[in-house]
Amino acid sequence: MRAIFGNDVAVKAIQDNNIQPWPDGAILAKVLWKRVEGQNDLIVAGDFIHAEFMIKNKVKYATTDGWGWARWVGKELKPFGKTPAFTATCTNCHSPVKALDYVYTMPLKLKK
């Protein structure tokens, strides 16, 4: 199970349809839990898996396609990666959606 969050810059970008590319200052966060089938075939959140962040800043993160990356794993919130080079894992995984500014999950269109 996943929940995706955005800071005020990301939410305004969604409202203004300004996500190609996302503006500097946008922060996207994703939190994952194991999927558990509960009573009456309900799906509920199980154990925490990890939390991830994408932070847009074209200058600061120029070497990683304009995005800063972070991940914390497990209940211990162990940082992912042993060196700053871990970001290659992130950019490589997100490269199939380069045309979407490296973001897999597109926001729902908001009605005004």
Side-chain angles (χ1 to χ4, degrees), residues 27-47:
I27 300 174
L28 304 174
K30 180 172 67 174
V31 181
L32 284 82
W33 297 269
K34 287 186 181 178
R35 174 186 159 159
V36 176
E37 292 189 27
Q39 294 180 358
N40 301 320
D41 296 324
L42 293 176
I43 304 299
V44 298
D47 291 339

Side-chain angles (χ1 to χ4, degrees), residues 14-108:
I14 293 165
Q15 291 170 336
D16 295 345
N17 196 29
N18 182 29
I19 61 171
Q20 293 301 319
W22 289 85
D24 276 359
I27 300 174
L28 304 174
K30 180 172 67 174
V31 181
L32 284 82
W33 297 269
K34 287 186 181 178
R35 174 186 159 159
V36 176
E37 292 189 27
Q39 294 180 358
N40 301 320
D41 296 324
L42 293 176
I43 304 299
V44 298
D47 291 339
F48 175 78
I49 299 174
H50 66 253
E52 302 173 323
F53 285 82
M54 293 175 68
I55 303 144
K56 184 67 181 242
N57 185 313
K58 293 182 293 265
V59 174
K60 185 174 183 178
Y61 303 115
T63 61
T64 53
D65 300 309
W67 288 99
W69 308 88
R71 177 188 277 180
W72 292 270
V73 180
K75 293 177 185 175
E76 306 80 25
L77 296 176
K78 180 180 177 185
F80 177 80
K82 298 193 185 300
T83 70
F86 83 89
T87 57
T89 302
C90 303
T91 54
N92 288 342
C93 180
H94 284 253
S95 65
V97 289
K98 181 177 181 177
L100 299 173
D101 199 17
Y102 298 90
V103 177
Y104 273 100
T105 305
M106 289 292 101
L108 297 173

